[in-house]
Amino acid sequence: MVRSPIQCVWDPGPPSKTPSIYTLHLESADNSVQKFNGNSTNACIPPTLWSSHSELTVWVEAKNQHGSAFSPRSTFNTAKIMKSATPNITQHTLAPLEIYWESKCSKQGLSEGECKVRHRVLPGVSWAEVEEGFQGVYCLEKVLPYSWYEFQVRCSCLGSSLSDWSKVYKVKSPGAAPVGMLDVWSDCQLSPQSAECALMWKTPPGWNAGSEILGYLVTLSHLNGMVTLVNVSMVDKASDQLTCDKKLCHPMAKDVTAVNVSAYTAYGATTPACLRIPLTAQYNRGEALQLSMSAERLLVSWNPPTGFINNQSKYVVQYKQAGLLKTPAQGFDWIRLDRTQINATLTGQFENYTAYQVALFLVSPYGASDHISSAVGYVHQGIPPKVPSFEVVKVKANSVKVIWTPILLPQRRGVIVCYQIGLDSQGVHNLSEHQGDKDRSFRLDDLEPSQNYEVWIRAITEAGPGPKSTATFKTEGFDFNPLFFLVIFFSFIPFLLIWKYSWVIKECIGFKKVPDPSNSHVFQKMNNQINFCIPVEEPDPVLSHLEIIKYKLAGGKIGHRGSQGAIGGLMDQGELAGEGNTASREDCYSKMTDSDEDRDDYEKHFLPTAMEIMCL
C-alpha cells in the first residue's frame, strides 16, 4: 500500500508585520527529532519518516528577529489518521452564480469541517484558489457573461486530513449584450490587380460577445453611392461565404469604398467597426521594415513615421503569401497594435523559398488606412530560376538593345539582389532589380560591325546566381546590297527629270525670267562704238520681245527686220527694202537664259530696247 505524506495544519495567529519562519518538529518513538520547513499554516511529513501504528509527537516553532515561540505538543497514532472523503458538487444557480456540494464527513462518523474552492474560466489553464472557510455553498462574483467556468472543492472533516479535489463541475454563465468592436480588415490593400477582395473580421484578444453570436451585419458603401446591407448568418451559412482559415470573411467587390461590421446576439449588437477601402494600393515608401522569419513566427520591427499621428490611431501589420491573388484570405493574416509599439509578432505556417509580402499601415479611428511601408520576407532563400524571356532588339553596327521579362515574385525563391548581363567581349554588367523598370531593357555599346555575339542574363539572390538565359545576334555591316542601290537610283530619277525640264514647267506656270542685255553678242561687238549703260532710275530693265522676219535679198543675202523698237546704225535700211524680195516669216518666242551655252538662242529671240541701246 502506497502511503501519502502526513499534512500538519496550524493556526499562525494574528497577522504580524514582522515576517516569521515556521518549522515543524517531529519526535519519533525512539526520541529522534526531525525538522521540516513549512509555510505559515502547514507542513508535510514525508511517508518515509513514519510507519503505520506508530506514535508521533509534533510541534511548531515560529522564529523572527525578536525571538522564537513554540506551539503545544500534539501526540497521535498514525493508525488513527483518516483522510476525509471527497465532496460532491451537486447543483448551481446562475443569478448569482453559486455552487452547492455535500461532504461525506457524516458517513465517516466525523463532524463537518471547512472546505476549499477553486475555479477557472475557459479556455484558461491556471486555477484561482479560494481560501478555506466554506461549508456547502460558494458564490462567485464578477462573472464574465456567456463563459464556461470550472469548479472543484476539497474538504477536511474534524480530526482528519484534507480530501482530494472533487470532480470538475462545469457551468456556463448567463449571456448579456455584446460589448466592444470587431477587428475588421480586408485582403485587397496590396492587390489592386485582383478582381475581388475579401472582407475579414475577428474578435480581439479578451473580447467577450456576451452571448451566442447569431450573425454579423455588414454594410457596404459603393463608389456610385449605393449602400448594400448583408446579413452573414452563423445559423444558416450562405453558399457564397468564403472559407478564410479560422477567420470570418465575406466576398467584396472592388468598387466598395467603406464597410461597417457588427456582431449581433439575442441580447443586442456590438458597435459597428468601420474600415475605409482605398481604391488603389498606396505606396508611401516610408520607413523600411525589418523582418525576421522562422517556420512558425514572423517578427516585424520599424521606426515610427514622422509627422502628426492621431493619439487614437492604430498600427496594422499584415502578411500575404505571394502568388495567391486569386484566392483572397488564404496565406493571409494581420494584427492590430497600439501606436506606441514599434514591433509585432505574427504566427503561422511559413514555407521555405516562399515570398511573403509584409505591409505596415496606420489606421485612424475612422477607419482610414495609410500605407507606411512594405517588405518581402523569406524563411530560407534559394537560387532563382532562369529569366523567363530574354530577347535582342534594335541591332545596329556598333550597339544592340536587349529586353527581358523579370521573374515573378512567387517564383523568385529569394530576394533578387541584381540581374547580370554578360557579353563575351565586354564582361559582366550588374543591374539592380529596379533598373530599367519601365521597359526592362539595356543597351550594349562599342560592338564591332558584322560580328556574331552571344549575350546572357541571370538573376542573383543571397543564395547565389541562377541559370543563364542566352541569345545570339550579328551586328550590322557595310556590305554591298544591290537592291539598296537600285532603290536609291530610282528614287532620284524623278528629281533628274524635274531638273532637266524645269524651263517647261516654268513656262507652263507663266514664269518668265528677265534677260540680261550684257550677255548679247550685239552689245559686246558695239562695246568699242557705243557707251552702253543702264539708267540708274531703271534698275530692272525690261526688254521687248522681238519678232524676227527673214528676207531674201539680192545676191542671196538674208536680212532681218524687227517688228518692235528702232535699232539705228545696225543695218542699212536700203538693204531691207529690195523689190521682188520674198520673205518667209517665223514667229519665235522662247525663254531667255543668261548662260553662255544658250547665247546663240539669246541673239535670235531677244534684243534690248532702243532706250537701253541709246543710253550713252
Side-chain angles (χ1 to χ4, degrees):
M1 179 180 177
V2 179
R3 293 179 298 176
S4 300
I6 297 176
Q7 185 179 37
C8 299
V9 181
W10 60 85
D11 182 5
S16 174
K17 294 181 179 181
T18 302
S20 299
I21 298 175
Y22 294 88
T23 303
L24 176 65
H25 295 255
L26 169 65
E27 184 180 9
S28 302
D30 58 359
N31 296 324
S32 63
V33 177
Q34 304 287 339
K35 297 181 181 180
F36 310 96
N37 292 328
N39 56 31
S40 60
T41 59
N42 63 81
C44 292
I45 300 175
T48 56
L49 297 180
W50 61 273
S51 60
S52 180
H53 297 82
S54 61
E55 292 285 339
L56 297 179
T57 302
V58 294
W59 67 94
V60 177
E61 176 189 10
K63 184 178 182 179
N64 57 26
Q65 61 182 3
H66 302 294
S68 300
F70 295 90
S71 69
R73 294 186 173 215
S74 177
T75 302
F76 59 91
N77 192 303
T78 57
K80 295 182 178 180
I81 296 176
M82 184 180 298
K83 188 175 183 177
S84 301
T86 303
N88 181 33
I89 301 176
T90 57
Q91 60 182 336
H92 72 276
T93 61
L94 294 178
L97 180 55
E98 292 182 336
I99 60 170
Y100 299 87
W101 66 89
E102 62 177 14
S103 70
K104 299 180 180 180
C105 293
S106 58
K107 294 182 179 180
Q108 293 179 294
L110 301 174
S111 300
E112 294 284 343
E114 294 182 343
C115 302
K116 285 186 176 183
V117 178
R118 67 181 184 181
H119 60 81
R120 63 182 176 183
V121 59
L122 298 180
V125 178
S126 60
W127 292 88
E129 188 169 333
V130 184
E131 293 292 336
E132 62 182 348
F134 303 97
Q135 291 184 338
V137 62
Y138 173 75
C139 179
L140 178 64
E141 300 177 353
K142 298 181 180 180
V143 179
L144 294 176
Y146 204 68
S147 300
W148 281 102
Y149 281 87
E150 292 183 338
F151 294 90
Q152 284 185 311
V153 179
R154 66 187 304 186
C155 299
S156 64
C157 303
L158 292 178
S160 63
S161 61
L162 279 171
S163 68
D164 294 328
W165 287 107
S166 66
K167 293 182 180 180
V168 174
Y169 187 85
K170 296 179 68 174
V171 179
K172 192 170 188 178
S173 62
V179 179
M181 292 190 300
L182 298 170
D183 186 358
V184 181
W185 199 240
S186 67
D187 182 12
C188 62
Q189 306 282 41
L190 297 181
S191 305
Q193 63 270 47
S194 61
E196 197 175 62
C197 298
L199 176 65
M200 293 174 288
W201 58 90
K202 57 186 177 182
T203 57
W207 184 79
N208 187 279
S211 181
E212 180 182 3
I213 296 178
L214 302 178
Y216 299 89
L217 293 177
V218 180
T219 305
L220 306 174
S221 300
H222 298 267
L223 186 61
N224 58 7
M226 294 183 60
V227 177
T228 305
L229 182 63
V230 180
N231 179 19
V232 182
S233 175
M234 300 305 294
V235 179
D236 300 322
K237 294 185 178 181
S239 58
D240 62 343
Q241 186 170 334
L242 295 177
T243 301
C244 299
D245 190 21
K246 300 181 181 180
K247 295 179 286 292
L248 299 168
C249 59
H250 186 75
M252 181 177 63
K254 292 300 288 287
D255 67 337
V256 173
T257 59
V259 297
N260 289 277
V261 184
S262 60
Y264 64 90
T265 69
Y267 298 90
T270 61
T271 302
C274 177
L275 177 66
R276 299 188 181 276
I277 309 297
L279 299 180
T280 57
Q282 305 172 37
Y283 294 92
N284 293 344
R285 303 293 185 186
E287 293 288 344
L289 300 181
Q290 290 80 44
L291 307 180
S292 176
M293 296 187 69
S294 64
E296 297 179 350
R297 193 179 298 266
L298 167 62
L299 302 178
V300 187
S301 59
W302 63 90
N303 293 323
T306 58
F308 174 77
I309 300 178
N310 191 303
N311 291 334
Q312 297 180 347
S313 295
K314 301 282 187 179
Y315 284 122
V316 169
V317 181
Q318 73 168 47
Y319 73 83
K320 172 74 175 181
Q321 182 178 338
L324 298 180
L325 297 178
K326 295 183 179 180
T327 55
Q330 299 301 309
F332 179 90
D333 201 2
W334 77 97
I335 186 172
R336 195 176 298 264
L337 306 165
D338 188 80
R339 71 175 185 86
T340 58
Q341 294 186 240
I342 56 173
N343 53 69
T345 301
L346 295 95
T347 58
Q349 299 297 322
F350 303 109
E351 302 176 4
N352 292 336
Y353 318 121
T354 301
Y356 291 89
Q357 296 170 284
V358 183
L360 174 67
F361 295 87
L362 188 65
V363 183
S364 72
Y366 311 103
S369 59
D370 185 19
H371 182 205
I372 303 301
S373 187
S374 294
V376 176
Y378 292 84
V379 177
H380 292 292
Q381 298 192 43
I383 295 175
K386 290 178 64 175
V387 174
S389 176
F390 183 54
E391 299 180 48
V392 176
V393 296
K394 296 185 179 179
V395 179
K396 298 182 179 180
N398 302 108
S399 66
V400 69
K401 182 179 181 181
V402 294
I403 60 174
W404 68 92
T405 301
I407 304 172
L408 297 179
L409 183 59
Q411 286 81 45
R412 292 181 182 178
R413 297 173 57 85
V415 177
I416 293 181
V417 178
C418 68
Y419 285 94
Q420 283 187 340
I421 294 180
L423 190 67
D424 46 12
S425 63
Q426 289 191 353
V428 176
H429 301 272
N430 293 323
L431 308 178
S432 67
E433 180 191 0
H434 301 290
Q435 187 170 348
D437 263 343
K438 293 183 179 180
D439 56 358
R440 295 289 183 173
S441 64
F442 186 74
R443 195 179 76 175
L444 298 165
D445 297 316
D446 301 327
L447 305 181
E448 296 294 333
S450 302
Q451 293 292 323
N452 293 315
Y453 290 95
E454 181 180 84
V455 62
W456 54 265
I457 188 173
R458 66 182 178 185
I460 298 178
T461 65
E462 292 182 1
K468 298 178 181 178
S469 296
T470 61
T472 58
F473 64 94
K474 183 179 181 180
T475 53
E476 293 180 350
F478 302 105
D479 297 335
F480 175 76
N481 190 339
L483 181 60
F484 173 77
F485 285 99
L486 285 176
V487 171
I488 298 298
F489 174 74
F490 284 109
S491 299
F492 276 99
I493 288 178
F495 297 100
L496 293 173
L497 293 175
I498 292 174
W499 175 77
K500 182 172 181 63
Y501 295 101
S502 59
W503 65 273
V504 177
I505 297 174
K506 293 181 179 180
E507 283 293 330
C508 291
I509 63 175
F511 177 80
K512 296 181 179 181
K513 186 174 180 181
V514 178
D516 185 358
S518 62
N519 288 331
S520 172
H521 289 298
V522 176
F523 289 114
Q524 291 176 358
K525 291 178 180 179
M526 293 176 63
N527 215 10
N528 296 327
Q529 302 176 12
I530 302 173
N531 291 327
F532 182 73
C533 68
I534 297 175
V536 176
E537 63 271 16
E538 192 178 0
D540 296 320
V542 178
L543 302 181
S544 302
H545 290 287
L546 181 66
E547 183 180 23
I548 307 298
I549 301 175
K550 297 181 179 180
Y551 296 93
K552 290 183 180 180
L553 304 178
K557 295 182 178 179
I558 297 177
H560 298 77
R561 178 173 63 84
S563 62
Q564 294 182 11
I567 308 175
L570 295 179
M571 297 181 182
D572 186 354
Q573 296 296 327
E575 293 179 351
L576 297 174
E579 293 182 359
N581 292 336
T582 62
S584 62
R585 179 176 177 173
E586 295 180 0
D587 294 328
C588 300
Y589 300 93
S590 177
K591 167 182 171 291
M592 185 213 78
T593 62
D594 289 337
S595 63
D596 293 339
E597 63 184 8
D598 293 332
R599 198 162 285 172
D600 293 338
D601 267 351
Y602 184 95
E603 301 297 336
K604 291 179 182 179
H605 303 302
F606 298 94
L607 284 176
T609 61
M611 181 183 67
E612 291 170 338
I613 297 175
M614 298 302 295
C615 180
L616 297 176

